[in-house]
Amino acid sequence: QVQLVESGGGLVQVGGSLRLSCAASGLKFSNYAMGWFRRPPGKKREFVAGIRWSGGSTSYSDSVKGRFTVSRDNAKNTVYLQMNSLKPEDTAVYYCAARQGIVVFTTSGYSYWGQGTQVTVSS
């Protein structure tokens, strides 16, 4: 079956960096667009970043543009989220998700989800 497993979360100070990874199995990874979403405490899950199957096209929410970078390695079936200049408002559970086709910004557009990894930014 399809599995998406996130890793790399943790506690970091304001201005610090983290790199999240999402390892995929059970699907032809290179056929799927990948998205990163997050759920801040007490809020709904929201789109953070996405990358097309080829890696040639990326999308970001306005809140992370210029600070986060999404990338993928199709040979390793892994997608990454490099997070720099972290802010307290970046505190959330981060999820990766997969869908065939293009990147979309809504949670309902994704077929597969990981279990999430906690990122906490302390001030």
Side-chain angles (χ1 to χ4, degrees):
Q1 73 276 23
V2 176
Q3 279 195 315
L4 302 178
V5 180
E6 302 96 338
S7 61
L11 175 64
V12 64
Q13 291 189 330
V14 169
S17 298
L18 281 175
R19 187 196 197 200
L20 305 183
S21 300
C22 170
S25 60
L27 76 171
K28 186 169 174 56
F29 184 70
S30 58
N31 284 356
Y32 284 77
M34 299 298 295
W36 283 99
F37 289 76
R38 67 186 181 187
R39 188 180 69 234
K43 297 184 179 181
K44 293 182 179 179
R45 201 173 299 194
E46 62 186 23
F47 175 82
V48 174
I51 186 166
R52 204 169 176 185
W53 67 271
S54 64
S57 176
T58 57
S59 303
Y60 299 92
S61 68
D62 288 342
S63 62
V64 307
K65 198 171 295 182
R67 300 187 297 122
F68 290 12
T69 302
V70 59
S71 61
R72 66 189 295 160
D73 185 339
N74 286 347
K76 296 183 178 179
N77 287 1
T78 302
V79 62
Y80 305 96
L81 185 68
Q82 178 67 43
M83 306 186 296
N84 298 329
S85 302
L86 283 161
K87 304 175 180 180
E89 51 264 43
D90 294 319
T91 295
V93 178
Y94 283 72
Y95 302 86
C96 67
R99 73 181 305 273
Q100 290 187 300
I102 63 173
V103 171
V104 298
F105 307 143
T106 58
T107 57
S108 60
Y110 289 79
S111 303
Y112 305 107
W113 290 85
Q115 82 290 347
T117 186
Q118 176 71 46
V119 171
T120 302
V121 184
S122 68
S123 54

